[in-house]
Amino acid sequence: MKSLSKKKPCNTPKTVVQPNKDALIKRLNRIEGQVRGVTKMIAEDRYCVDVLNQVSALQSALDAVAMRLLENHTHGCMQGAIKSGKGNVAIDELMVVLRKFAR
């Protein structure tokens, strides 16, 4: 199997402008509020199942943000890398990221 390259297909950008940045930030702010809510539930000794339901909702919300970022990456950086002939490096990088979410 080919070793995974450490090279970044987007020429190692320091910044990437997300096409839907405002929506992502709004969603993350909502998630931040949910985390504070779970903290409060635990501090108030709320029923475990109620807390677990909120944790599950948090996981789903974070997964949705991750999928949006992955979609943006695929349509942005990956698409550009493939068009410029650096598709294999971009695919290797994508597979590393996908394996993290498959755990």
Side-chain angles (χ1 to χ4, degrees):
M1 182 175 182
K2 188 171 113 180
S3 70
L4 298 177
S5 173
K6 297 286 185 199
K7 294 179 184 175
K8 301 289 184 196
C10 296
N11 298 320
T12 316
K14 299 240 186 289
T15 61
V16 175
V17 177
Q18 294 295 325
N20 51 355
K21 181 175 21 178
D22 291 340
L24 284 170
I25 290 170
K26 184 177 180 179
R27 183 66 174 151
L28 287 167
N29 287 336
R30 219 175 304 133
I31 291 168
E32 184 179 11
Q34 286 178 282
V35 170
R36 282 192 304 272
V38 169
T39 301
K40 184 177 177 187
M41 290 175 78
I42 291 171
E44 294 173 352
D45 299 321
R46 296 279 299 273
Y47 183 54
C48 296
V49 172
D50 293 340
V51 177
L52 289 167
N53 284 333
Q54 290 303 309
V55 170
S56 177
L58 276 167
Q59 287 173 327
S60 294
L62 283 171
D63 286 344
V65 169
M67 289 306 294
R68 178 58 57 159
L69 290 168
L70 182 59
E71 183 179 342
N72 293 346
H73 177 68
T74 303
H75 286 291
C77 292
M78 285 210 47
Q79 189 175 54
I82 291 167
K83 286 180 180 178
S84 71
K86 299 176 184 174
N88 286 334
V89 173
I91 291 168
D92 288 346
E93 180 185 55
L94 177 65
M95 293 310 299
V96 168
V97 172
L98 288 175
R99 283 185 190 98
K100 291 178 184 179
F101 285 97
R103 294 184 213 169

